[in-house]
């Protein structure tokens, strides 16, 4: 079964991945391989959903030559798009992979501010397209000075149409979205720490923060933590999700693949614990590729069988 999932993110990126046999700081380094693609949290979600045979629709801001390149890259992948064109140039992010030790370094260019009129234009397009969507997935940071209630407004649109709403953000945009009672919130551990300004040094503290998220309005919450188990809370039960062990090439984007898996399975009516099994498999599959959001669908079933989900 396929249904449109609207992937919303104001800050997509042109992504360059450079693989070095060995990377040394303060020295000349020559890349063995360089890959270019479209990325950013919402774009990664859309790419994974497309690879799964779903119907994602990507929406956000694109500008300048990089924006035009990202637009074409997504169209070549068959991802439907509805971007607002802005004067500001789309950012570029660069991933450095040191193949000698497996270390991955991410160089992130900050997005540029856009005027509020562009946010209103984007909201108008989302409002028009959300009527035909099974889910709205809101991912990533806003542009500098962007309206912190933007994801909250999009969440209310989802409620009006009966669509699932998923928010993957941090800080004020996340906290503001909780006032609209999103169907699911999925930050990673570092984002939750940044949002509450607390260290969350152990699982007990993390679960307490997740319960606070529910009290503030979310209906369900999932927190990923890199190589550590993810945690899921559906309001009644807490689940610990152990991802498969893989020889990771690049873990960047695995949290976004996890989000895509949740959206994919939740819109099909699966329970949260079941959806997390597939989400964890997709996170692992993403780590096997150099470019974020590029997955091999054939590996997903095998990886899903290796996920362990336990009730706490």
């Amino acid at each position: 079964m396929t249904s449109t999932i609207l992937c919303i993110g104001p800050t997509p990126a042109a992504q360059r991945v450079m693989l070095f046999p060995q990377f040394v700081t303060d020295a000349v380094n020559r890349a063995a391989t360089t890959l270019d693609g479209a990325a950013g949290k919402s774009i990664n979600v859309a790419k994974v959903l497309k690879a799964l045979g779903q119907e994602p629709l990507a929406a956000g801001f694109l500008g300048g030559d990089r924006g035009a390149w990202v637009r074409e890259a997504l169209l070549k992948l068959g991802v439907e798009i509805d971007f607002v064109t802005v004067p500001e140039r789309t950012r570029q992010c660069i991933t450095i992979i040191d193949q000698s030790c497996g270390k991955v370094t991410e160089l992130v260019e900050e997005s540029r501010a856009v005027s509020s009129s562009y946010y209103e234009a984007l909201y108008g397009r989302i409002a028009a397209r959300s009527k035909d969507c099974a889910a709205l997935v809101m991912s990533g940071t806003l542009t500098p000075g962007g309206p912190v209630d933007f994801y909250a407004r999009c969440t209310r649109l989802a409620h009006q149409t009966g669509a699932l709403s998923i928010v993957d953000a941090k800080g004020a945009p996340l906290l503001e979205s909780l006032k609209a009672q999103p169907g699911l919130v999925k930050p990673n551990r570092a984002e939750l720490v940044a949002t509450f300004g607390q260290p969350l040094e152990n699982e007990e503290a993390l679960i307490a923060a997740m319960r606070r998220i529910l009290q503030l309005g979310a209906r369900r919450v999932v927190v990923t933590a890199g190589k550590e188990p993810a945690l899921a809370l559906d309001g009644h039960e807490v689940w610990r999700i152990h991802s498969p062990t893989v020889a990771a090439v690049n873990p960047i984007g695995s949290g976004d693949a996890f989000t895509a898996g949740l959206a994919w399975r939740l819109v099909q009516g699966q329970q949260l614990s079941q959806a997390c099994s597939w989400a964890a498999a997709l996170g692992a599959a993403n780590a096997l590729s150099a470019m974020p959001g590029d997955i091999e669908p054939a590996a997903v079933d095998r990886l899903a069988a290796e996920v362990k989900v336990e009730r706490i």
Side-chain angles (χ1 to χ4, degrees):
M1 183 181 76
T2 59
S3 53
T4 301
I5 297 176
L6 180 50
C7 304
I8 303 164
T11 55
Q15 183 76 46
R16 173 162 291 180
V17 179
M18 305 180 74
L19 294 89
F20 296 86
Q22 184 175 19
F23 185 80
V24 181
T25 59
D26 198 26
V28 175
N29 293 267
R30 300 183 185 278
T33 304
T34 298
L35 305 172
D36 289 294
K41 292 177 76 70
S42 63
I43 300 303
N44 295 338
V45 172
K47 288 166 63 180
V48 171
L49 288 169
K50 185 63 181 181
L52 293 169
Q54 302 304 295
E55 297 176 1
L57 168 61
F61 299 132
L62 289 176
D65 56 335
R66 288 185 191 149
W69 190 92
V70 169
R71 187 185 302 272
E72 289 303 313
L74 291 173
L75 290 175
K76 287 179 181 178
L77 291 173
V79 175
E80 186 180 2
I81 61 174
D82 196 351
F83 286 98
V84 172
T85 300
V86 297
E88 292 73 19
R89 192 186 193 197
T90 294
R91 65 193 179 123
Q92 182 179 54
C93 297
I94 300 174
T95 303
I96 297 171
I97 300 177
D98 185 340
Q99 295 175 302
S100 69
C101 61
K103 289 186 177 180
V104 177
T105 302
E106 184 76 356
L107 307 178
V108 178
E109 179 184 352
E110 292 290 357
S111 59
R112 293 167 172 79
V114 302
S115 72
S116 59
S117 62
Y118 291 110
Y119 271 96
E120 289 306 309
L122 178 58
Y123 178 79
R125 296 194 185 191
I126 292 168
R129 303 299 291 263
S130 64
K131 300 172 185 177
D132 301 317
C133 294
L136 275 64
V137 182
M138 295 148 267
S139 305
T141 59
L142 305 178
T143 57
V148 295
D149 67 342
F150 185 70
Y151 288 159
R153 294 177 67 193
C154 294
T155 297
R156 293 188 183 99
L157 282 176
H159 290 326
Q160 291 172 15
T161 63
L164 170 67
S165 53
I166 298 177
V167 178
D168 180 0
K170 66 178 180 179
L174 171 59
L175 292 173
E176 194 68 24
S177 76
L178 298 178
K179 298 177 183 179
Q181 299 183 324
L184 174 69
V185 165
K186 198 224 71 74
N188 61 38
R189 187 169 186 161
E191 290 166 341
L192 203 55
V193 167
T195 298
F196 287 139
Q198 298 174 347
L200 306 179
E201 295 175 344
N202 53 47
E203 186 176 85
E204 182 180 4
L206 189 56
I207 293 173
M210 293 169 68
R211 293 193 185 280
R212 184 178 174 192
I213 289 284
L214 290 185
Q215 292 169 355
L216 290 171
R219 296 175 181 174
R220 291 168 290 187
V221 57
V222 175
V223 177
T224 53
K227 295 179 181 179
E228 299 300 315
L231 294 173
L233 174 61
D234 63 6
H236 304 286
E237 296 177 316
V238 183
W239 303 86
R240 186 185 296 119
I241 302 98
H242 299 267
S243 294
T245 300
V246 297
V249 176
N250 180 11
I252 303 297
S254 288
D256 307 324
F258 198 112
T259 301
L262 289 173
W264 173 42
R265 288 292 167 159
L266 289 174
V267 298
Q268 295 182 27
Q270 285 196 343
Q271 297 299 312
L272 183 59
S273 59
Q274 296 173 300
C276 282
S277 291
W278 291 99
L282 285 164
N286 176 86
L288 294 173
S289 297
M291 180 64 65
D294 287 0
I295 65 160
E296 178 51 59
V300 177
D301 286 347
R302 173 181 59 80
L303 291 168
E306 298 175 12
V307 177
K308 180 182 178 183
V309 180
E310 57 182 338
R311 184 184 301 154
I312 299 176

